[in-house]
Amino acid sequence: APYQPAPTVRSFAKNAIGIMLHGGDSDSCTSINSVFRTQEYDLRTWTDKFWEPESTQVLGIECIEAQDTVLNHIEIRLSQNRIEIFGSDAGRPETSRSIGYVDNIDLSFERGYVSLQHAHYNAAKPDGMDGGNTPVQTYRWDNIGFDGPVHAPIRAYDAVMPMEMSALDEDTVVQFGHELPTSLYFEGVRVGSAREALLNLSISGDDDFEYRVNGGAWTAHRGAIDSGAHTAWSIPLPLDALRDGSNTIDFRSEEGDKIGNVDLSLID
């Protein structure tokens, strides 16, 4: 996930800037929950003081009216040192206005990609099905646009994710991931004019492991975050270690960790 704060989960992008919107205490109000930035996986958060009372506050926060089945318009204006968020009331784009900003964000990158993540908790809580709530909800996001320069899309090659089903307390549990040591295969790779190659993965347990590309020398990865949580990593690979067609990457660790969401990305 581009951004995922939760107990035992620390799945952050290496370098990123983003916002989190939430409904607050009212079904008819949407506002900024937080603005976050990562630099070399280190997270800094500016909030509305709803979650983290001691953190730096997002300034100028204003609520926009929300309405079931009716869209709001959200616009993010970003520069190297400032992020400002604009929003309109539901169904009324002419009401667009600033709903929060942060200065001195000090971005460490000039080029990236746009990602949208929707996350929610158990919709049937707190009263369950008998209380009138339902676990079935519909959310709509669409028409995402970006007015900056257009670059060639990332070429991503996924490793097949194994799935194991087992029983736990009369429930069926589906487990994903690769137990280490393991070898993963990436088919149909086209190196072409790529200027950068990245190995992307998430890992549970110890963040320290070793990998090698196409039978080459083993390289040690040492996690920069001592969190004991599920973490995500984006690891640069030497382009001359890759080849067109099929590629193999081997993994091993002392702790017998499990990895998942593994892909090989090439960037022109």
Side-chain angles (χ1 to χ4, degrees):
Y3 176 65
Q4 184 60 64
T8 75
V9 177
R10 191 179 173 89
S11 180
F12 304 142
K14 183 178 181 180
N15 297 293
I17 183 72
I19 67 167
M20 182 187 294
L21 300 172
H22 73 132
D25 298 325
S26 170
D27 293 337
S28 62
C29 172
T30 295
S31 62
I32 300 170
N33 170 268
S34 61
V35 172
F36 60 89
R37 183 205 65 195
T38 56
Q39 290 185 351
E40 295 296 321
Y41 302 104
D42 183 50
L43 176 69
R44 179 179 178 184
T45 305
W46 298 267
T47 79
D48 65 352
K49 298 196 175 182
F50 179 74
W51 292 109
E52 302 176 37
E54 302 303 321
S55 66
T56 306
Q57 191 174 16
V58 179
L59 300 177
I61 283 185
E62 183 176 338
C63 174
I64 53 176
E65 296 179 5
Q67 182 180 340
D68 193 26
T69 74
V70 180
L71 293 176
N72 299 82
H73 178 82
I74 304 296
E75 181 176 316
I76 302 170
R77 300 181 185 178
L78 179 66
S79 66
Q80 209 71 30
N81 284 299
R82 180 183 173 95
I83 184 170
E84 186 169 11
I85 300 91
F86 292 75
S88 72
D89 295 328
R92 295 193 294 157
E94 70 278 6
T95 63
S96 180
R97 58 196 180 275
S98 176
I99 60 172
Y101 66 93
V102 177
D103 285 321
N104 302 315
I105 56 176
D106 189 26
L107 289 190
S108 59
F109 58 93
E110 297 179 347
R111 174 172 171 168
Y113 66 93
V114 178
S115 177
L116 173 67
Q117 174 179 320
H118 178 91
H120 62 274
Y121 189 48
N122 192 334
K125 284 189 175 182
D127 300 319
M129 295 293 291
D130 295 335
N133 293 332
T134 172
V136 179
Q137 303 286 339
T138 300
Y139 300 91
R140 178 182 170 192
W141 296 85
D142 66 2
N143 300 331
I144 299 173
F146 176 64
D147 70 349
V150 176
H151 298 288
I154 294 174
R155 300 195 301 281
Y157 305 90
D158 294 333
V160 175
M161 176 80 83
M163 182 178 69
E164 177 183 343
M165 302 184 69
S166 59
L168 178 64
D169 297 332
E170 300 182 352
D171 292 325
T172 299
V173 178
V174 181
Q175 299 187 25
F176 298 92
H178 309 265
E179 296 279 359
L180 301 189
T182 191
S183 297
L184 301 184
Y185 307 96
F186 304 85
E187 306 295 340
V189 173
R190 181 175 61 85
V191 178
S193 59
R195 62 178 179 83
E196 185 177 7
L198 297 172
L199 172 63
N200 304 303
L201 59 86
S202 56
I203 184 169
S204 62
D206 191 355
D207 294 337
D208 296 341
F209 60 92
E210 294 183 323
Y211 62 93
R212 66 178 180 182
V213 181
N214 292 324
W218 287 97
T219 300
H221 175 269
R222 298 291 180 252
I225 304 171
D226 184 16
S227 65
H230 297 274
T231 54
W233 301 96
S234 187
I235 303 167
L237 297 180
L239 284 169
D240 58 8
L242 301 174
R243 57 195 178 211
D244 289 336
S246 179
N247 289 257
T248 302
I249 303 181
D250 304 310
F251 299 85
R252 67 186 184 187
S253 73
E254 295 181 357
E255 303 295 331
D257 303 306
K258 178 178 283 190
I259 61 175
N261 305 312
V262 186
D263 77 64
L264 172 63
S265 295
L266 296 176
I267 304 170
D268 289 328

